[in-house]
Amino acid sequence: MLKPQTLNAFENFCEEAKKYDFEPKIESGYRSFERQLLIWNEKVLGKRKVLDKNGKPLNIAELCETELMKAILLWSALPGTSRHEWGTDIDVIDAAAVPKDYEAELTIEETLGVFGKFHKWLDLQIEGKNAFGFKRVFLPGIGRVQPEPWHLSYSPEAREIEHNFTAENLAERLSNSDILLLPQILANLDWILENHVFCYFER
Ligand SMILES: [Zn+2]
């Protein structure tokens, strides 16, 4: 479900990585709006854990609806704003560093530990503009999304989608869906976009 150019670039990226004994593997690629919506609604309903900044489960009964919305946004993208919906963004691990049945958690600990060598190599590839168009997006100190060094975006195609992204389209899409907390979302849409979406655009 990735865009053809993105997939092609990823294949070239993999071939280069192989020369260094790495085996990049997509842990999470395309995710639909509907899937993201399901995750969102389950969190609002308490069917899935909602975590605080430190990864500890929150008692959502203690939160007002706006607080709950902001808490969910710490770890989950608002449907319609996840870059995984674009077909240009992927979460990548190095399959060569782990046993076949290893279940990746996608944490900073892994990035520094078991996948440390791969990420050091990736740093150099990205710095040298040698990563076949892939860039990191969720870097520390930008917005309110937790840093995700494993999240790579195929810049040439992602930039186009960023360029055509509008708050109006998003508001319409959300209004036509059965998303929970819609009034709180719409009342804070500019804030959400500013802190969770637009600050990560290349522009
Ligand atoms: Zn990701």
Side-chain angles (χ1 to χ4, degrees):
M1 295 296 272
L2 292 179
K3 285 192 178 284
Q5 256 183 286
T6 300
L7 187 62
N8 190 42
F10 181 69
E11 283 165 358
N12 292 333
F13 171 77
C14 286
E15 237 166 78
E16 182 66 18
K18 216 191 258 176
K19 294 180 193 164
Y20 299 84
D21 295 324
F22 299 120
E23 201 187 312
K25 184 185 149 208
I26 298 176
E27 210 28 55
S28 179
Y30 174 76
R31 200 182 306 140
S32 67
F33 176 89
E34 287 69 28
R35 173 85 191 135
Q36 197 70 25
L37 183 68
L38 184 79
I39 294 170
W40 180 273
N41 283 349
E42 286 188 350
K43 288 198 171 185
V44 176
L45 295 171
K47 291 184 185 169
R48 265 174 198 258
K49 279 183 196 155
V50 179
L51 306 175
D52 69 8
K53 222 188 259 172
N54 304 313
K56 291 211 178 100
L58 283 163
N59 178 5
I60 64 171
E62 289 172 357
L63 306 177
C64 76
E65 289 176 315
T66 302
E67 287 169 340
L68 175 57
M69 176 196 76
K70 290 188 176 182
I72 296 172
L73 283 169
L74 278 179
W75 296 99
S76 293
L78 179 69
T81 73
S82 169
R83 299 179 67 102
H84 283 282
E85 291 174 26
W86 298 357
T88 59
D89 284 46
I90 51 181
D91 296 332
V92 176
I93 65 161
D94 173 26
V98 287
K100 266 208 163 55
D101 57 355
Y102 179 84
E103 288 206 25
E105 291 171 54
L106 300 180
T107 57
I108 298 295
E109 288 71 37
E110 276 182 336
T111 306
L112 299 171
V114 68
F115 302 133
K117 247 174 88 182
F118 173 64
H119 277 279
K120 274 197 188 126
W121 173 79
L122 192 53
D123 289 342
L124 296 174
Q125 297 300 112
I126 293 172
E127 269 168 41
K129 304 212 183 313
N130 243 342
F132 298 88
F134 286 101
K135 286 186 177 171
R136 289 204 180 93
V137 178
F138 301 116
L139 297 164
I142 297 183
R144 286 175 178 265
V145 178
Q146 300 297 309
E148 294 182 9
W150 52 83
H151 182 112
L152 297 179
S153 181
Y154 181 61
S155 171
E157 280 185 313
R159 216 184 294 151
E160 229 171 275
I161 297 172
E162 289 172 355
H163 191 76
N164 294 315
F165 190 101
T166 69
E168 293 73 29
N169 284 347
L170 175 65
E172 199 188 318
R173 238 178 135 190
L174 292 168
S175 300
N176 290 329
S177 76
D178 57 4
I179 191 163
L180 299 172
L181 302 180
L182 182 63
Q184 289 76 19
I185 293 166
L186 293 180
N188 292 282
L189 200 58
D190 288 340
W191 181 89
I192 295 172
L193 288 171
E194 217 46 62
N195 290 284
H196 291 263
V197 184
F198 289 156
C199 51
Y200 299 101
F201 282 12
E202 275 192 65
R203 300 260 176 205

mmCIF file of all heavy atoms in Angstrom, residues 12-20 22 24 117-136 152:
data_model
loop_
_atom_site.group_PDB
_atom_site.id
_atom_site.type_symbol
_atom_site.label_atom_id
_atom_site.label_comp_id
_atom_site.label_asym_id
_atom_site.label_seq_id
_atom_site.Cartn_x
_atom_site.Cartn_y
_atom_site.Cartn_z
ATOM 1 N N ASN A 12 15.846 0.457 -3.156
ATOM 2 C CA ASN A 12 17.218 0.928 -3.386
ATOM 3 C C ASN A 12 17.961 1.152 -2.069
ATOM 4 O O ASN A 12 19.143 0.834 -1.940
ATOM 5 C CB ASN A 12 17.202 2.231 -4.199
ATOM 6 C CG ASN A 12 16.729 1.996 -5.621
ATOM 7 O OD1 ASN A 12 16.882 0.904 -6.159
ATOM 8 N ND2 ASN A 12 16.135 3.020 -6.224
ATOM 9 N N PHE A 13 17.227 1.702 -1.108
ATOM 10 C CA PHE A 13 17.784 1.933 0.223
ATOM 11 C C PHE A 13 18.225 0.604 0.851
ATOM 12 O O PHE A 13 19.310 0.497 1.428
ATOM 13 C CB PHE A 13 16.712 2.635 1.072
ATOM 14 C CG PHE A 13 17.033 2.760 2.528
ATOM 15 C CD1 PHE A 13 17.933 3.720 2.980
ATOM 16 C CD2 PHE A 13 16.420 1.941 3.467
ATOM 17 C CE1 PHE A 13 18.228 3.846 4.334
ATOM 18 C CE2 PHE A 13 16.694 2.060 4.816
ATOM 19 C CZ PHE A 13 17.600 3.005 5.248
ATOM 20 N N CYS A 14 17.396 -0.424 0.686
ATOM 21 C CA CYS A 14 17.698 -1.746 1.246
ATOM 22 C C CYS A 14 18.951 -2.343 0.613
ATOM 23 O O CYS A 14 19.768 -2.965 1.288
ATOM 24 C CB CYS A 14 16.525 -2.700 1.044
ATOM 25 S SG CYS A 14 15.148 -2.344 2.126
ATOM 26 N N GLU A 15 19.076 -2.152 -0.697
ATOM 27 C CA GLU A 15 20.238 -2.703 -1.388
ATOM 28 C C GLU A 15 21.525 -2.066 -0.887
ATOM 29 O O GLU A 15 22.530 -2.750 -0.691
ATOM 30 C CB GLU A 15 20.088 -2.480 -2.892
ATOM 31 C CG GLU A 15 20.154 -3.792 -3.652
ATOM 32 C CD GLU A 15 19.668 -3.636 -5.064
ATOM 33 O OE1 GLU A 15 20.457 -3.116 -5.885
ATOM 34 O OE2 GLU A 15 18.512 -4.005 -5.325
ATOM 35 N N GLU A 16 21.471 -0.773 -0.681
ATOM 36 C CA GLU A 16 22.644 -0.063 -0.150
ATOM 37 C C GLU A 16 22.947 -0.564 1.268
ATOM 38 O O GLU A 16 24.107 -0.821 1.614
ATOM 39 C CB GLU A 16 22.368 1.451 -0.150
ATOM 40 C CG GLU A 16 23.504 2.321 0.338
ATOM 41 C CD GLU A 16 24.727 2.286 -0.595
ATOM 42 O OE1 GLU A 16 24.573 1.864 -1.763
ATOM 43 O OE2 GLU A 16 25.819 2.671 -0.128
ATOM 44 N N ALA A 17 21.885 -0.705 2.070
ATOM 45 C CA ALA A 17 22.056 -1.141 3.463
ATOM 46 C C ALA A 17 22.672 -2.535 3.546
ATOM 47 O O ALA A 17 23.452 -2.831 4.448
ATOM 48 C CB ALA A 17 20.704 -1.112 4.176
ATOM 49 N N LYS A 18 22.306 -3.366 2.584
ATOM 50 C CA LYS A 18 22.803 -4.742 2.558
ATOM 51 C C LYS A 18 24.331 -4.782 2.482
ATOM 52 O O LYS A 18 24.982 -5.663 3.055
ATOM 53 C CB LYS A 18 22.195 -5.461 1.347
ATOM 54 C CG LYS A 18 21.881 -6.936 1.623
ATOM 55 C CD LYS A 18 21.553 -7.664 0.351
ATOM 56 C CE LYS A 18 20.056 -7.882 0.190
ATOM 57 N NZ LYS A 18 19.748 -8.510 -1.121
ATOM 58 N N LYS A 19 24.904 -3.800 1.788
ATOM 59 C CA LYS A 19 26.368 -3.727 1.665
ATOM 60 C C LYS A 19 27.028 -3.572 3.031
ATOM 61 O O LYS A 19 28.208 -3.845 3.190
ATOM 62 C CB LYS A 19 26.769 -2.534 0.788
ATOM 63 C CG LYS A 19 26.348 -2.665 -0.659
ATOM 64 C CD LYS A 19 26.793 -1.430 -1.434
ATOM 65 C CE LYS A 19 26.112 -1.369 -2.794
ATOM 66 N NZ LYS A 19 26.217 -0.023 -3.384
ATOM 67 N N TYR A 20 26.275 -3.060 3.977
ATOM 68 C CA TYR A 20 26.805 -2.853 5.334
ATOM 69 C C TYR A 20 26.243 -3.900 6.307
ATOM 70 O O TYR A 20 26.282 -3.720 7.515
ATOM 71 C CB TYR A 20 26.452 -1.443 5.822
ATOM 72 C CG TYR A 20 27.043 -0.355 4.951
ATOM 73 C CD1 TYR A 20 26.383 0.066 3.792
ATOM 74 C CD2 TYR A 20 28.267 0.232 5.265
ATOM 75 C CE1 TYR A 20 26.916 1.045 2.972
ATOM 76 C CE2 TYR A 20 28.814 1.219 4.458
ATOM 77 C CZ TYR A 20 28.132 1.616 3.311
ATOM 78 O OH TYR A 20 28.670 2.580 2.501
ATOM 79 N N PHE A 22 23.149 -4.644 6.876
ATOM 80 C CA PHE A 22 21.865 -4.306 7.494
ATOM 81 C C PHE A 22 20.737 -4.853 6.621
ATOM 82 O O PHE A 22 20.907 -5.036 5.411
ATOM 83 C CB PHE A 22 21.700 -2.793 7.643
ATOM 84 C CG PHE A 22 22.738 -2.161 8.520
ATOM 85 C CD1 PHE A 22 23.580 -1.174 8.021
ATOM 86 C CD2 PHE A 22 22.880 -2.542 9.849
ATOM 87 C CE1 PHE A 22 24.550 -0.587 8.826
ATOM 88 C CE2 PHE A 22 23.839 -1.964 10.663
ATOM 89 C CZ PHE A 22 24.676 -0.980 10.146
ATOM 90 N N PRO A 24 17.027 -3.608 6.377
ATOM 91 C CA PRO A 24 15.883 -2.777 6.778
ATOM 92 C C PRO A 24 14.565 -3.496 6.512
ATOM 93 O O PRO A 24 14.371 -4.077 5.444
ATOM 94 C CB PRO A 24 16.008 -1.536 5.888
ATOM 95 C CG PRO A 24 17.427 -1.519 5.448
ATOM 96 C CD PRO A 24 17.842 -2.956 5.340
ATOM 97 N N LYS A 117 23.554 0.212 15.917
ATOM 98 C CA LYS A 117 24.499 0.280 14.792
ATOM 99 C C LYS A 117 23.793 0.765 13.525
ATOM 100 O O LYS A 117 24.311 1.596 12.782
ATOM 101 C CB LYS A 117 25.085 -1.116 14.540
ATOM 102 C CG LYS A 117 26.563 -1.213 14.857
ATOM 103 C CD LYS A 117 27.060 -2.643 14.727
ATOM 104 C CE LYS A 117 27.516 -2.975 13.311
ATOM 105 N NZ LYS A 117 27.965 -4.377 13.181
ATOM 106 N N PHE A 118 22.597 0.237 13.325
ATOM 107 C CA PHE A 118 21.805 0.610 12.146
ATOM 108 C C PHE A 118 21.473 2.106 12.173
ATOM 109 O O PHE A 118 21.597 2.805 11.164
ATOM 110 C CB PHE A 118 20.527 -0.234 12.107
ATOM 111 C CG PHE A 118 19.538 0.165 11.045
ATOM 112 C CD1 PHE A 118 19.867 0.059 9.706
ATOM 113 C CD2 PHE A 118 18.278 0.643 11.385
ATOM 114 C CE1 PHE A 118 18.958 0.426 8.714
ATOM 115 C CE2 PHE A 118 17.359 1.012 10.404
ATOM 116 C CZ PHE A 118 17.706 0.899 9.066
ATOM 117 N N HIS A 119 21.083 2.606 13.342
ATOM 118 C CA HIS A 119 20.700 4.015 13.428
ATOM 119 C C HIS A 119 21.896 4.952 13.272
ATOM 120 O O HIS A 119 21.767 6.034 12.717
ATOM 121 C CB HIS A 119 19.928 4.287 14.723
ATOM 122 C CG HIS A 119 18.477 3.947 14.590
ATOM 123 N ND1 HIS A 119 17.566 4.811 13.995
ATOM 124 C CD2 HIS A 119 17.777 2.840 14.892
ATOM 125 C CE1 HIS A 119 16.367 4.224 13.974
ATOM 126 N NE2 HIS A 119 16.470 3.032 14.515
ATOM 127 N N LYS A 120 23.067 4.505 13.736
ATOM 128 C CA LYS A 120 24.277 5.323 13.535
ATOM 129 C C LYS A 120 24.591 5.418 12.050
ATOM 130 O O LYS A 120 24.933 6.487 11.534
ATOM 131 C CB LYS A 120 25.456 4.719 14.301
ATOM 132 C CG LYS A 120 25.497 5.202 15.733
ATOM 133 C CD LYS A 120 26.859 4.966 16.371
ATOM 134 C CE LYS A 120 26.745 5.301 17.857
ATOM 135 N NZ LYS A 120 27.201 4.194 18.703
ATOM 136 N N TRP A 121 24.458 4.298 11.365
ATOM 137 C CA TRP A 121 24.688 4.271 9.919
ATOM 138 C C TRP A 121 23.652 5.160 9.213
ATOM 139 O O TRP A 121 23.980 5.953 8.335
ATOM 140 C CB TRP A 121 24.602 2.826 9.407
ATOM 141 C CG TRP A 121 24.659 2.710 7.908
ATOM 142 C CD1 TRP A 121 25.777 2.784 7.127
ATOM 143 C CD2 TRP A 121 23.554 2.507 7.029
ATOM 144 N NE1 TRP A 121 25.428 2.642 5.809
ATOM 145 C CE2 TRP A 121 24.072 2.469 5.717
ATOM 146 C CE3 TRP A 121 22.179 2.348 7.207
ATOM 147 C CZ2 TRP A 121 23.265 2.288 4.593
ATOM 148 C CZ3 TRP A 121 21.376 2.168 6.095
ATOM 149 C CH2 TRP A 121 21.913 2.137 4.804
ATOM 150 N N LEU A 122 22.399 5.031 9.671
ATOM 151 C CA LEU A 122 21.309 5.820 9.085
ATOM 152 C C LEU A 122 21.554 7.323 9.271
ATOM 153 O O LEU A 122 21.320 8.122 8.363
ATOM 154 C CB LEU A 122 19.992 5.390 9.745
ATOM 155 C CG LEU A 122 18.680 5.847 9.131
ATOM 156 C CD1 LEU A 122 18.602 5.494 7.658
ATOM 157 C CD2 LEU A 122 17.508 5.205 9.876
ATOM 158 N N ASP A 123 22.022 7.720 10.446
ATOM 159 C CA ASP A 123 22.372 9.122 10.704
ATOM 160 C C ASP A 123 23.309 9.639 9.611
ATOM 161 O O ASP A 123 23.092 10.704 9.041
ATOM 162 C CB ASP A 123 23.139 9.271 12.038
ATOM 163 C CG ASP A 123 22.258 9.052 13.246
ATOM 164 O OD1 ASP A 123 21.021 9.126 13.102
ATOM 165 O OD2 ASP A 123 22.810 8.800 14.337
ATOM 166 N N LEU A 124 24.352 8.851 9.340
ATOM 167 C CA LEU A 124 25.356 9.270 8.363
ATOM 168 C C LEU A 124 24.765 9.325 6.959
ATOM 169 O O LEU A 124 25.053 10.238 6.188
ATOM 170 C CB LEU A 124 26.551 8.310 8.370
ATOM 171 C CG LEU A 124 27.357 8.272 9.672
ATOM 172 C CD1 LEU A 124 28.410 7.181 9.618
ATOM 173 C CD2 LEU A 124 28.011 9.630 9.934
ATOM 174 N N GLN A 125 23.919 8.336 6.636
ATOM 175 C CA GLN A 125 23.300 8.319 5.305
ATOM 176 C C GLN A 125 22.414 9.556 5.108
ATOM 177 O O GLN A 125 22.435 10.187 4.057
ATOM 178 C CB GLN A 125 22.445 7.061 5.129
ATOM 179 C CG GLN A 125 23.186 5.766 5.182
ATOM 180 C CD GLN A 125 24.256 5.651 4.097
ATOM 181 O OE1 GLN A 125 25.446 5.636 4.387
ATOM 182 N NE2 GLN A 125 23.852 5.590 2.853
ATOM 183 N N ILE A 126 21.622 9.882 6.137
ATOM 184 C CA ILE A 126 20.709 11.024 6.021
ATOM 185 C C ILE A 126 21.513 12.324 5.956
ATOM 186 O O ILE A 126 21.249 13.186 5.119
ATOM 187 C CB ILE A 126 19.692 11.037 7.185
ATOM 188 C CG1 ILE A 126 18.741 9.834 7.058
ATOM 189 C CG2 ILE A 126 18.895 12.344 7.200
ATOM 190 C CD1 ILE A 126 17.811 9.615 8.236
ATOM 191 N N GLU A 127 22.529 12.438 6.820
ATOM 192 C CA GLU A 127 23.373 13.644 6.812
ATOM 193 C C GLU A 127 24.023 13.850 5.447
ATOM 194 O O GLU A 127 24.124 14.978 4.964
ATOM 195 C CB GLU A 127 24.489 13.519 7.861
ATOM 196 C CG GLU A 127 24.123 14.081 9.221
ATOM 197 C CD GLU A 127 25.155 13.667 10.273
ATOM 198 O OE1 GLU A 127 26.362 13.685 9.961
ATOM 199 O OE2 GLU A 127 24.721 13.299 11.382
ATOM 200 N N GLY A 128 24.472 12.766 4.855
ATOM 201 C CA GLY A 128 25.156 12.851 3.571
ATOM 202 C C GLY A 128 24.206 12.857 2.390
ATOM 203 O O GLY A 128 24.623 12.701 1.257
ATOM 204 N N LYS A 129 22.911 13.019 2.646
ATOM 205 C CA LYS A 129 21.864 12.968 1.617
ATOM 206 C C LYS A 129 22.010 11.706 0.775
ATOM 207 O O LYS A 129 21.917 11.716 -0.443
ATOM 208 C CB LYS A 129 21.905 14.219 0.740
ATOM 209 C CG LYS A 129 21.797 15.502 1.552
ATOM 210 C CD LYS A 129 21.084 16.596 0.778
ATOM 211 C CE LYS A 129 21.010 17.906 1.519
ATOM 212 N NZ LYS A 129 20.591 17.841 2.914
ATOM 213 N N ASN A 130 22.269 10.625 1.470
ATOM 214 C CA ASN A 130 22.540 9.349 0.835
ATOM 215 C C ASN A 130 21.497 8.311 1.196
ATOM 216 O O ASN A 130 21.752 7.125 1.111
ATOM 217 C CB ASN A 130 23.903 8.855 1.343
ATOM 218 C CG ASN A 130 24.874 8.748 0.197
ATOM 219 O OD1 ASN A 130 24.468 8.707 -0.957
ATOM 220 N ND2 ASN A 130 26.145 8.709 0.523
ATOM 221 N N ALA A 131 20.330 8.784 1.638
ATOM 222 C CA ALA A 131 19.307 7.851 2.138
ATOM 223 C C ALA A 131 18.175 7.685 1.129
ATOM 224 O O ALA A 131 17.053 7.354 1.501
ATOM 225 C CB ALA A 131 18.790 8.302 3.498
ATOM 226 N N PHE A 132 18.470 7.944 -0.144
ATOM 227 C CA PHE A 132 17.510 7.716 -1.235
ATOM 228 C C PHE A 132 16.205 8.486 -1.045
ATOM 229 O O PHE A 132 15.138 8.006 -1.392
ATOM 230 C CB PHE A 132 17.238 6.214 -1.402
ATOM 231 C CG PHE A 132 18.476 5.445 -1.766
ATOM 232 C CD1 PHE A 132 19.305 4.945 -0.778
ATOM 233 C CD2 PHE A 132 18.845 5.280 -3.101
ATOM 234 C CE1 PHE A 132 20.476 4.279 -1.112
ATOM 235 C CE2 PHE A 132 20.010 4.618 -3.433
ATOM 236 C CZ PHE A 132 20.824 4.110 -2.444
ATOM 237 N N GLY A 133 16.310 9.663 -0.461
ATOM 238 C CA GLY A 133 15.132 10.520 -0.300
ATOM 239 C C GLY A 133 14.438 10.368 1.039
ATOM 240 O O GLY A 133 13.497 11.097 1.336
ATOM 241 N N PHE A 134 14.879 9.423 1.846
ATOM 242 C CA PHE A 134 14.242 9.232 3.153
ATOM 243 C C PHE A 134 14.830 10.179 4.192
ATOM 244 O O PHE A 134 16.027 10.444 4.207
ATOM 245 C CB PHE A 134 14.401 7.780 3.630
ATOM 246 C CG PHE A 134 13.518 6.835 2.877
ATOM 247 C CD1 PHE A 134 14.023 6.047 1.853
ATOM 248 C CD2 PHE A 134 12.166 6.763 3.167
ATOM 249 C CE1 PHE A 134 13.201 5.191 1.128
ATOM 250 C CE2 PHE A 134 11.334 5.903 2.447
ATOM 251 C CZ PHE A 134 11.855 5.115 1.435
ATOM 252 N N LYS A 135 13.911 10.684 5.028
ATOM 253 C CA LYS A 135 14.321 11.583 6.103
ATOM 254 C C LYS A 135 13.599 11.199 7.377
ATOM 255 O O LYS A 135 12.540 10.593 7.330
ATOM 256 C CB LYS A 135 13.924 13.027 5.748
ATOM 257 C CG LYS A 135 14.798 13.642 4.696
ATOM 258 C CD LYS A 135 14.445 15.102 4.515
ATOM 259 C CE LYS A 135 15.394 15.733 3.494
ATOM 260 N NZ LYS A 135 14.959 17.090 3.131
ATOM 261 N N ARG A 136 14.155 11.615 8.511
ATOM 262 C CA ARG A 136 13.431 11.458 9.767
ATOM 263 C C ARG A 136 12.498 12.648 9.916
ATOM 264 O O ARG A 136 12.760 13.729 9.378
ATOM 265 C CB ARG A 136 14.404 11.415 10.935
ATOM 266 C CG ARG A 136 15.214 10.123 10.983
ATOM 267 C CD ARG A 136 15.672 9.886 12.407
ATOM 268 N NE ARG A 136 16.465 8.661 12.523
ATOM 269 C CZ ARG A 136 17.800 8.637 12.430
ATOM 270 N NH1 ARG A 136 18.472 9.756 12.231
ATOM 271 N NH2 ARG A 136 18.443 7.491 12.571
ATOM 272 N N LEU A 152 10.558 6.910 9.044
ATOM 273 C CA LEU A 152 11.182 7.540 7.886
ATOM 274 C C LEU A 152 10.127 7.974 6.884
ATOM 275 O O LEU A 152 9.120 7.297 6.688
ATOM 276 C CB LEU A 152 12.145 6.559 7.210
ATOM 277 C CG LEU A 152 13.336 6.086 8.046
ATOM 278 C CD1 LEU A 152 14.184 5.104 7.227
ATOM 279 C CD2 LEU A 152 14.188 7.257 8.507
#
